[in-house]
Amino acid sequence: HAIPTGQSGPPGAAMLTNWFPTPASVIRRRGLRRWATLPGNDTVRSLFTYVLGAQQELFAATDDGIWNVTTVPEPYPSILTPDDVDYLGTDDDEAFGWGSVDGLDVLTGTTNGDWVTVQFSTAGGTFVIGVNGVDDGFIYDGTTFWPYVDGGVSMMAVTITDAFEAGEVVTGGTSGATATVHSTSAGFLYLTAITGTFQVAEAITGSVDGVGVVDALPVLVAPGITGIASDRLSYVWAYKQRIWFIERDSLNAWYMPVDQVGGTAVVLPLGGVFNRGGSLLWGQTWSLDSGGDGGLSEQNVFTTTEGEVAAYQGLSPDDAATWSKVGVYRIGRPMGKKAFIRAGGDLVVATSIGFIPLGKAIQRDYAALGMIAVSQPIADEWRRAVGERGMENWQCELWGEGSMTIISPPTPADQAPVVFVANSDNGAWAQFTGWQPSSMEVFQGRIFFGSIAGKVQEAWVGGSDEAMPYTGVLMPLFNDLGGPGQRKFAAFGRVVKRSANPANESVVARFDWDMSIPPAPDAATISASSVWDAGIWDESIWNAERGTIVTEEWKS
């Protein structure tokens, strides 16, 4: 934390790396544990959840597909091919072993993994809808990921003579009706893009090899969207019991009928609202602490790539008597469609000028927003990161159970990864090195990262980053000790620390704003003693408790 807290509290810090600030002290950050490894070593671009009672699921997506990573038997893959050993045979495709997520894929054939999702409940069930602006969206009903397309997906009972293939077109021999096969199961075809009306007992043929007879008329199993193709939708959220979408590279928003996940979407053109142009980036619900009728006032806000935010209030544009524009505000250029957090009813947005609370931004002139930024204590580091790491694809996540706000800028080729971390209770800041989240999600009170090379990791566990040690650096703010005109000499210093295992420290003195850091100390040796899989049989104690180590050695 770059700001001193006075005599009654701990001093501020000029540098706080891999330490997490608490109200009374600092704790060294915990590590990363591999949770799953997705195939292809591709970047995990999104994580999302489905939570309905006891059914709680975590999903991870790369550009190639989506996997259910709620429970993963093997975090690491183990594959042997002829390139690894010379006795596996002569077939170049032959391989032995296992993948980390074998059999856990739930959606394949995609080209973009940057999904934005919303969970929405209706009388027909609870669904997750996802869009990415490139591929057809999906709708997940708790069992199956269906394409979110015009007309939805219907199930037709068929006596199949020759197997149908996904993607082929079926045609009714009598009715002339057509449809595209999405998938098949025993005695059923799942169809999209149905035209005409199939007839019971008519023969159907596929454009590839399929042959069969209709046993029953199609029944809708997954609703779809009409009015706009879902591959043009780049963002989704819910407001006033309606699902809203952003149309990619445009200033158009779309909304669905009330309490429905399927149906005809209606466009809300916003081109005349924003004077600075650009395109819509994201939308969200946002609450002020007072409204026209007293109490909380829920708004629907639309944010552009140029840093303008328009707030609307009311049920929907269908009801002109209640729908009205509250105002248009500037907040600085937002740095990604996932670069904000929800803090209570307010939204805090990572922008080119700082981490800006929307509730305060509407009360200040644009030129003065830097002073009310949540990131003001680290303003210099924030500006440096914006200049060096760019203003796109930042990721933000609020982890309430850890009292932690995590902001992850992108990592250019010539930069080391870094994340900014704030204690959400007291606003104190630090930076963590060695972490490089490409996506983040809170699941069952724990924080998970998607990362490069197909890694899904659980954070804040253990004392290493997948067996790699890390170093914490703490440099308090420089202090003249009440004598600004006198030179000082450091003779002794000590660090008082408490830990479960030994931890080595290096103590140095720095003067006159010299912030150079010495080499890291050697990693401490940790006794295996009674640790499972490392203890000695018949010597280690099964229920041995690890004590607390307190060190306070003076260093010359």
Side-chain angles (χ1 to χ4, degrees), residues 49-57 119-121 125-128 141-142:
T49 61
Y50 179 88
V51 179
L52 179 62
Q55 183 179 356
Q56 301 186 19
E57 298 173 304
Q119 182 166 315
F120 194 83
S121 294
T126 298
F127 305 88
V128 168
D141 58 9

Side-chain angles (χ1 to χ4, degrees), residues 94-110:
E94 186 176 7
F96 291 82
W98 61 84
S100 171
V101 290
D102 286 348
L104 300 181
D105 56 298
V106 295
L107 183 64
T108 58
T110 60

Side-chain angles (χ1 to χ4, degrees), residues 18-34:
N18 291 332
W19 294 90
F20 183 65
T22 68
S25 183
V26 294
I27 58 175
R28 195 176 66 168
R29 76 158 172 87
R30 302 188 70 181
L32 296 173
R33 177 178 65 182
R34 183 75 65 90

Side-chain angles (χ1 to χ4, degrees), residues 188-279:
F188 294 98
L189 296 182
Y190 296 91
L191 306 174
T192 62
I194 297 176
T195 61
T197 304
F198 288 98
Q199 297 180 11
V200 175
E202 72 172 327
I204 57 173
T205 57
S207 57
V208 181
D209 291 318
V211 177
V213 176
V214 176
D215 294 330
L217 296 181
V219 177
L220 186 69
V221 294
I225 184 173
T226 302
I228 183 173
S230 61
D231 61 0
R232 291 169 53 193
L233 303 175
S234 59
Y235 201 89
V236 59
W237 74 104
Y239 170 74
K240 295 284 189 181
Q241 297 176 260
R242 293 179 189 265
I243 296 175
W244 285 76
F245 299 97
I246 296 296
E247 181 181 351
R248 72 167 188 267
D249 300 327
S250 78
L251 288 169
N252 292 332
W254 295 74
Y255 59 96
M256 298 292 286
V258 65
D259 288 330
Q260 294 185 32
V261 294
T264 301
V266 180
V267 64
L268 175 64
L270 295 170
V273 175
F274 300 106
N275 297 325
R276 303 182 64 84
S279 59

